[in-house]
Structure formats: structure tokens, C-alpha cells
Amino acid sequence: MRVLVLCDGGGPIGVGHVIRSLALAEASVAAGHSVVVAGHFEGSFVQRQLAEAPVEVVQLGSAAVAGPDPTLELVRRFEPDVLHVDSYDVAGWVMGSFILSNMEDGSFGRRPADVVIDPTIGAELSPRPDDGSTLLLRGSRYTPIRQRVLDARRSGQADTAHDAAARSVLVVMGGTDPVGLAPVAVRLLAGTGLVLDVTVIAVGEIAERVRAAAEGSSLSLSVLAPVDDLAALMVRQDLVVSAAGTSVWELCCIGVPMALVWAVDNQRVGYDGVVAAGAAVGLGGPELGGPELGGDGSVRDEASVGLLRTALTDSRARADMVLAGRQVIDGLGTWRVVRAWEQASRPVTAVVDPGLVARAATLEDARLLWEWRNDPATRESSRSSEEVPWDDHLVWLRDSLSRADRMLLLVEDEAGPIGTVRWELTQDREGEREWEVSITVAPQRRRQSLARPLLRAGEEALSAMARSSATDVTAYLAVVHIDNDASVQLFETSAYIPDAPPDHRGFMRFRKAAPVA
């Protein structure tokens, strides 16, 4: 598969678009695909990141974001299977022979595409305007994370220190710090009165203001130019004070306590989400650099200073932030997106609706369900391949019919029963209710192309149940053995996206987001 990635970075627009584009490019190459990254890139930091990536890089003039002609020529020359766009400014794209993939942040950068990726935390819980986009990958589970960050997560170095008080603090306000928040953060840290080793990423005039902000304080200050491997630096910190850009997702993934500010409007939603999830304390936005901080450097924002002091002296609070951050970002985002690209490039056959009807199972169905469950072919493809005794089956069925977290359906057509669909509630926390499916086609009805209609009938019945009981279905899940080609094909052609690599037994999880009303 040939992947062309369009993004711009450096200068006033920051480096976030490039960093997450490189994460996807890196994962694509690891999966055996060829990648070209093209765009307008400024600054030595961005250039070094591109030079280290295992991809071909094409530098486009700054006019490319305003007029797509040079980029369209690149598309014609490279003939990509996937064209991925991560830019707020590129306009006028239409669907082509390639898979069009688009990265958006809420409403920023939104455009119709075959595959839409919105890594904003909680995005999957809110409706998105129907603009003809086909596959929606929404929420922090699709956040692109670079391999070096995953390595830092796995290194085990990111555990919160056992000492009650933190000592090492990193201040990083993105690649450019457009509103000059690094000096503000240093003043806030100085206002805590704590003895701290503070490292700040800053250059030029911002670096000079950082040094001035630390004068006369208890801070031991080190100012560094942007580093190539920020993850290796972040993993060694007790606390990181950061702008709510791309680095926040990396900090969540690694598991580092955070104090956040939002520097520009497109960071506000992510800032609110991470703070609400308990993965960071929120210090505020650009107003921190205004009159709340006097010209003499005295700190007047006592609320922000208090939050910092608590985070720096309470090891339990920092440990809770680590756990919450790792739940927000599990590190599989790039893997999921690349698998979605691969899946989207395959032809999909339309489902023929044979008019199936799903109803709740009853005890009168016990004998039929027992015979289907113990069919050798059914047991072979199940996670539990043992034959189920009759008495055990009756106990299980009675329990199933009385539970609110399990839904057992019998699906029929004009000729009679064709199979069962069982749903198990596997994730039930605020805003998330995910149900795992198990399907059994009646042995006498196999090889009649009924599996996909059976699954769809089950989805519709589950959604109807949720509406009638005023509960939510946020996603449908499926767990399938990778050697079960028929089941893998069933879910891949039913809009279920690979959600986790195979486990040690070869079982792989697929996920399909439910429509949001």
C-alpha cells in the first residue's frame, strides 16, 4: 500500500501536525507500506524529525496550503492508495481512486473523507455533522503516538516517585510557544516556594524571559533548545507543565503527571478532556500571561500556584494522574488507524437483507440453544471449546435471561430460526457502554450468507433495547481468532475496525462505534 501524507509544521503553526503525521508514517512503514510525507516545513527541529523518519520527504512551498495544484501533481505522480491530510488549511479535496483520510480536531480541519480521524478525547460521544464521510475514528483511542514514546511507556521508568514531594519539573509549551507561556509557568513554579530542578524548553527571547522569571527564586533552572527525543526527557520528570498540544497525548501514554495550560483555541477541548479525566491539573489559558502577572514578576494567580503546589507535594495525586493518563491513551492509536486504512482499501460487498427478525430468547429455546452451542464447528471457533453439559446450560440460560448486562437473542426468518446473537456489557463507565457480540449460526443454515444479516439484526435489536431503557450503546465489540478467516471477514466487512492486536492465544478484538444521536 502506498501512503501519501500531507501536513505542514514549524513556525507559527507549531509542530503537532508533523509529529502525529510522522507517527502514522512510521507505523505504516512498520506494517510494510511505502510512505511519502509532503508539506511546508519550517525550522531545524521539524527538519530533524523528518530526516530521522523512514520516509521520503517532499518540501512544498508555503503556497501549497492555499492552492492545491503542486500537491495534486504529487498525487498524480505518486498514485497513492491512501492520501492522509493533517492540515487545517488545505481545501477543495474530492474523493478519488485513493482512500482519502483526514485528521481533524473537533471542528478544526474538518472535511469529508473516506476515513475521518478525530483524536479529541470524548469526540466519539458527541454527534458529528453527516457530510458523507464513511468511516469515523473518533476519540483518544485513535491518537497517533510515535514509537519512541511507546518505548518510553514500556521502559518502566515513568512510575511516580515514592517521595511525597516532587523535585524534577519540565516546562514545555510546544514547538514554538506562540503566546509565551513558558515564562509564566516558571513564575508560577517560583511562586510555590519549593526547591525544584526545572528544565525549560525555550529559545531566543522566550528563553531570556524564562531566566528572568526564575531570578531570586528557589528554582534550579536549565534552559534547553527543542530536543529530538522529548519522550526520553519527559519520562524522567516528576511533573511536566505543558501546553495542551501533541505533547499532552505523549505524556498521557508514557504516564507522567501533568499541569496543563491551553495556548490556542484548538487546544481547549483537549485541555478540558484531559483535566476532566483526572490525568492533569488545569492551570488555565492565555490569560495567565496577562495582567494577572504583574510587571515586577509577582504571582497573583494564587489558584494556579496552589494547584501546582499540591501536585508537587502529593505523591498520591501524581500517581492518580499517571493511571488516568494511561487509560486516556493506551498507545494503540497508530496501529488502529493503519489497520483501518488497510481495511478501507478492500472492496466491500453490499449486505442483502433477507428480512430477519430478532427476539429475546426464552427458556423454551433451551434445547435448541444447547444443541447449537455444542455443535463441533461452533465449539471449534469459540474461546471455550469444551462441550457444555445440559444442566450447566440451563443454569447459564436462566442467569442470562435475568441479567441487565447480557442480551440473548434468537433470530428467525420465514423458514424458522437461523441463529443467535449474544451481547455482553464489557465496559460500563461514565460515557462508555461497550457490548461484545457472540454469534452462532444454526448448523442447518450455514453456507447461506446469513452471518452478516444476523449480525446486523443483532445490532439493531441491541440499539432498540438501549433506546427503550434509556441507556447507551457507544460501541459494538467482537473477539475473533485470527485463524478463523470467515469470522474475521465477517467483522471486517461489517465496519468493525481492528482494536487490539492478537493476544497470546491468537484472539483479536474488533470495534464498531455506535451512531451518536
Side-chain angles (χ1 to χ4, degrees):
M1 190 168 72
R2 295 182 301 278
V3 180
L4 175 59
V5 178
L6 299 180
C7 60
D8 302 288
I13 67 172
V15 302
H17 298 284
V18 173
I19 294 301
R20 62 188 183 186
S21 293
L22 287 179
L24 291 171
E26 181 183 71
S28 298
V29 171
H33 309 304
S34 60
V35 181
V36 171
V37 176
H40 178 66
F41 309 115
E42 297 181 21
S44 59
F45 174 77
V46 169
Q47 297 292 348
R48 290 197 304 271
Q49 302 303 305
L50 292 164
E52 293 176 1
V55 299
E56 179 185 347
V57 177
V58 176
Q59 175 78 32
L60 299 175
S62 58
V65 297
D69 288 348
T71 310
L72 290 176
E73 178 59 33
L74 181 62
V75 170
R76 285 192 288 268
R77 178 167 62 85
F78 187 62
E79 297 183 339
D81 300 297
V82 175
L83 172 63
H84 176 67
V85 180
D86 191 341
S87 172
Y88 295 164
D89 299 318
V90 177
W93 288 102
V94 295
M95 303 296 184
S97 58
F98 47 77
I99 300 298
L100 179 59
S101 170
N102 185 66
M103 181 73 72
E104 63 187 33
D105 300 295
S107 61
F108 293 91
R110 179 174 290 168
R111 57 182 63 86
D114 299 299
V115 179
V116 168
I117 307 149
D118 182 356
T120 307
I121 182 172
E124 73 277 21
L125 305 178
S126 60
R128 180 185 184 277
D130 185 1
D131 59 3
S133 297
T134 306
L135 183 59
L136 304 181
L137 308 182
R138 306 177 72 215
S140 58
R141 70 192 311 108
Y142 299 106
T143 300
I145 297 294
R146 296 174 298 167
Q147 185 60 46
R148 62 178 56 171
V149 176
L150 300 179
D151 292 341
R153 176 187 175 100
R154 297 172 185 139
S155 69
Q157 299 178 44
D159 297 328
T160 303
H162 296 295
D163 295 338
R167 177 73 185 224
S168 60
V169 180
L170 173 67
V171 177
V172 55
M173 296 298 171
T176 58
D177 194 3
V179 296
L181 286 175
V184 178
V186 172
R187 286 177 182 159
L188 293 173
L189 289 167
T192 67
L194 299 174
V195 178
L196 303 169
D197 295 325
V198 179
T199 301
V200 183
I201 305 298
V203 295
E205 183 261 344
I206 298 292
E208 294 305 314
R209 289 169 53 194
V210 163
R211 295 185 181 95
E215 288 182 0
S217 71
S218 301
L219 307 181
S220 175
L221 183 69
S222 175
V223 181
L224 302 177
V227 297
D228 293 334
D229 192 354
L230 186 59
L233 181 60
M234 293 190 299
V235 76
R236 300 194 297 267
Q237 308 302 316
D238 296 320
L239 181 77
V240 174
V241 184
S242 173
T246 306
S247 58
V248 168
W249 309 120
E250 297 184 348
L251 288 162
C252 284
C253 183
I254 295 171
V256 181
M258 289 178 282
L260 296 185
V261 299
W262 59 277
V264 290
D265 289 343
N266 67 308
Q267 294 180 355
R268 184 60 190 268
V269 174
Y271 167 93
D272 290 339
V274 174
V275 172
V281 295
L283 303 180
E287 74 278 0
L288 288 172
E292 290 81 2
L293 293 173
D296 61 353
S298 61
V299 179
R300 296 179 181 175
D301 194 334
E302 291 301 325
S304 294
V305 171
L307 288 170
L308 276 173
R309 186 181 294 112
T310 299
L312 289 163
T313 58
D314 188 342
S315 62
R316 182 69 262 168
R318 297 197 304 279
D320 289 344
M321 283 190 269
V322 167
L323 294 176
R326 287 174 173 170
Q327 287 184 336
V328 169
I329 305 293
D330 63 7
L332 290 173
T334 45
W335 183 89
R336 293 181 178 115
V337 172
V338 173
R339 297 292 89 74
W341 287 347
E342 294 170 343
Q343 190 166 308
S345 65
R346 303 178 191 132
V348 176
T349 304
V351 180
V352 177
D353 186 357
L356 306 186
V357 176
R359 64 168 176 84
T362 69
L363 281 176
E364 295 180 357
D365 301 312
R367 176 67 61 175
L368 182 63
L369 296 175
W370 178 64
E371 291 173 351
W372 288 354
R373 172 61 184 84
N374 282 329
D375 176 75
T378 300
R379 288 190 287 112
E380 183 179 355
S381 61
S382 301
R383 276 185 281 185
S384 175
S385 59
E386 298 297 323
E387 189 168 341
V388 178
W390 169 251
D391 290 341
D392 291 351
H393 171 72
L394 282 180
V395 171
W396 174 85
L397 181 58
R398 290 192 178 97
D399 176 64
S400 297
L401 298 180
S402 66
R403 291 172 57 169
D405 61 349
R406 181 178 293 162
M407 185 179 186
L408 184 61
L409 303 168
L410 192 75
V411 183
E412 303 169 319
D413 63 7
E414 293 180 351
I418 67 166
T420 62
V421 179
R422 186 180 79 244
W423 295 101
E424 302 271 358
L425 182 60
T426 61
Q427 176 73 270
D428 187 9
R429 62 187 185 190
E430 185 177 358
E432 293 185 51
R433 290 176 64 85
E434 300 182 346
W435 295 76
E436 182 180 328
V437 68
S438 178
I439 296 176
T440 300
V441 179
Q444 66 272 22
R445 302 299 300 272
R446 290 176 185 147
R447 292 176 291 279
Q448 297 179 19
S449 301
L450 291 171
R452 288 176 68 193
L454 181 66
L455 174 60
R456 187 168 66 179
E459 292 173 352
E460 292 173 351
L462 176 64
S463 297
M465 177 273 294
R467 289 192 297 270
S468 65
S469 59
T471 60
D472 293 322
V473 178
T474 57
Y476 313 106
L477 303 179
V479 178
V480 182
H481 198 280
I482 56 175
D483 292 337
N484 188 340
D485 294 337
S487 291
V488 170
Q489 184 179 23
L490 164 65
F491 291 107
E492 285 185 340
T493 56
S494 300
Y496 283 68
I497 302 301
D499 193 58
D503 63 16
H504 67 284
R505 296 173 57 200
F507 285 94
M508 182 173 174
R509 186 173 72 229
F510 290 78
R511 185 178 189 273
K512 177 181 180 179
V516 180

